[in-house]
Amino acid sequence: MADRVFTVLDLINLDLKEHNSLNLRCIGGRKGLGRLIDIPDLNRPMGAIMGFFEDFAYQRIQLFGRGEAAYLRQLENEGRTDTITQMFSHSMPCCIFTHNHSPHHNFFEIAEQAQCPILQTDLGSADFSARIMRILSRIFSPRQVVHGVLAEVYGLGILIQGDSGVGKSETALELIHRGHRLVADDVVEINCIYGNTLMGAGANKIIGHHMEIRGPGIINITHLFGVRAIRDRKEVQLVVELEEWDSDKNYDRLGAEDHTIELLGVNIPKLTIPVKPGRNIPIIIETAAMNERLKSMGYHSAREFNKNILKWIESDAARSVFFGQDDII
């Protein structure tokens, strides 16, 4: 189930561009545009229009392709509308016709009486199905709003978190100066896609690529640095926690142990960076991003270092034992 209300009208009004565009238009049943879409899935209703209603998935969006449209023409020629009437007795969200197909006038009349929206697209069934499933999976995905800054560093999506005033926005600003990109500042909305991928974006599109810097105040990253310095969405692949340096705390100096944080049921690598005067946090984050990419390719620097140290200790101990022995001969 969705965590927010989503209607057929919302589906038509989605601001989608290029390869995501659904090219939808309403050709009938406009009174039903307020119907809710509760399930992010499609149903091909060939069985229903043939009169087989057992396990009819009427709660889903009904997709009519070439096969369904051809069978509807056959029903029109035979003057049969009983199965169509029975189909519309179920509360379907909407019916969508692909390939610019349009049903016969009897179909429209029954749909109007049932107040079920009839939509049309010029896309083919396979292409439309792939697009709408990708869109619905994002809309209906579990989501969480977190406090922090999301930036893309060397192609890696890094969520920078920490207490207020620790320097999250200032760190992100320096990263932008160094050629990296801002996704969102202060409030980040994270969606779990396909159960294992976390996509982050600004929670508010109006203030999305603005940043609050103590001193100058609110700045517009797009106007100051251009469109190259921003992006709308990015997968969250690393969480960096900034915290004030605590001299009594023992910080991990080797990095041999991998730490993770759970967001929406997905474990994401986490790195804690202590902040104090003289530490160049943006450069540390850049290094962490490159190191994380090395880990994803199977190379773990800290573990390799430990392994080499152990080999050196073992070989040195073996030499000491060998050369320390008395000459028996």
Side-chain angles (χ1 to χ4, degrees):
M1 299 295 289
D3 60 354
R4 67 175 183 178
V5 174
F6 187 73
T7 67
V8 178
L9 183 61
D10 292 328
L11 178 65
I12 297 175
N13 290 336
L14 287 175
D15 184 18
L16 304 170
K17 299 177 178 62
E18 299 176 356
H19 62 281
N20 284 322
S21 178
L22 298 176
N23 301 342
L24 284 173
R25 54 193 171 276
C26 182
I27 58 175
R30 295 183 180 275
K31 292 182 179 179
L33 288 176
R35 287 196 176 191
L36 296 180
I37 298 175
D38 292 323
I39 300 177
D41 206 348
L42 302 174
N43 181 58
R44 300 293 292 266
M46 178 62 83
I49 60 180
M50 293 178 68
F52 183 77
F53 289 94
E54 186 175 348
D55 295 328
F56 175 39
Y58 65 89
Q59 306 94 333
R60 303 177 184 180
I61 296 172
Q62 305 300 310
L63 186 66
F64 291 75
R66 284 175 173 166
E68 290 83 1
Y71 193 78
L72 286 176
R73 287 193 297 270
Q74 180 179 333
L75 292 179
E76 180 185 20
N77 294 334
E78 296 174 357
R80 294 169 50 198
T81 61
D82 53 328
T83 58
I84 305 302
T85 302
Q86 189 175 354
M87 184 179 71
F88 278 102
S89 67
H90 297 79
S91 183
M92 301 175 293
C94 65
C95 298
I96 301 178
F97 285 80
T98 60
H99 300 282
N100 268 338
H101 287 304
S102 182
H104 53 78
H105 68 280
N106 289 331
F107 191 98
F108 276 117
E109 290 178 358
I110 299 171
E112 289 287 350
Q113 292 176 3
Q115 297 187 0
C116 179
I118 308 299
L119 311 183
Q120 187 185 63
T121 178
D122 59 349
L123 299 174
S125 299
D127 190 12
F128 178 81
S129 298
R131 295 188 187 195
I132 194 171
M133 289 305 298
R134 184 169 60 245
I135 293 163
L136 290 177
S137 66
R138 175 170 58 85
I139 292 172
F140 283 77
S141 62
R143 66 190 61 215
Q144 179 179 347
V145 176
V146 299
H147 179 66
V149 180
L150 181 57
E152 182 189 63
V153 181
Y154 295 131
L156 200 75
I158 299 181
L159 177 64
I160 304 173
Q161 294 189 294
D163 294 336
S164 179
V166 77
K168 300 183 295 296
S169 295
E170 290 79 0
T171 298
L173 182 60
E174 176 61 24
L175 288 171
I176 295 168
H177 267 286
R178 298 175 65 86
H180 306 293
R181 297 199 282 182
L182 173 73
V183 181
D185 178 59
D186 194 39
V187 182
V188 182
E189 183 179 83
I190 299 177
N191 294 66
C192 181
I193 309 295
Y194 308 124
N196 60 2
T197 302
L198 299 180
M199 295 297 297
N204 190 319
K205 290 185 178 181
I206 298 177
I207 62 174
H209 294 123
H210 291 73
M211 182 177 284
E212 179 191 356
I213 303 295
R214 287 171 173 80
I218 302 295
I219 60 174
N220 189 315
I221 297 300
T222 309
H223 291 171
L224 287 175
F225 298 95
V227 294
R228 69 167 183 82
I230 62 170
R231 65 174 299 165
D232 293 330
R233 296 169 57 80
K234 179 62 184 175
E235 180 182 354
V236 180
Q237 297 158 288
L238 175 66
V239 175
V240 171
E241 181 79 20
L242 301 183
E243 66 174 39
E244 295 288 348
W245 184 286
D246 185 356
S247 57
D248 295 328
K249 183 176 179 179
N250 292 322
Y251 292 102
D252 185 6
R253 301 182 63 178
L254 294 180
E257 296 294 330
D258 289 333
H259 301 278
T260 61
I261 183 173
E262 183 179 311
L263 294 173
L264 296 172
V266 181
N267 288 322
I268 299 295
K270 179 183 178 182
L271 177 67
T272 299
I273 299 179
V275 178
K276 72 174 183 177
R279 302 202 82 201
N280 195 322
I281 304 302
I283 288 182
I284 295 175
I285 291 179
E286 284 182 333
T287 305
M290 291 186 288
N291 193 48
E292 193 62 35
R293 296 193 67 177
L294 274 178
K295 290 180 182 179
S296 67
M297 293 185 287
Y299 183 83
H300 199 298
S301 302
R303 292 176 183 173
E304 188 71 18
F305 176 78
N306 278 349
K307 188 186 300 182
N308 291 336
I309 289 294
L310 290 175
K311 286 182 179 179
W312 175 76
I313 292 175
E314 290 173 356
S315 61
D316 190 62
R319 285 195 299 269
S320 299
V321 171
F322 177 79
F323 289 112
Q325 287 180 342
D326 293 334
D327 192 352
I328 300 176
I329 299 177

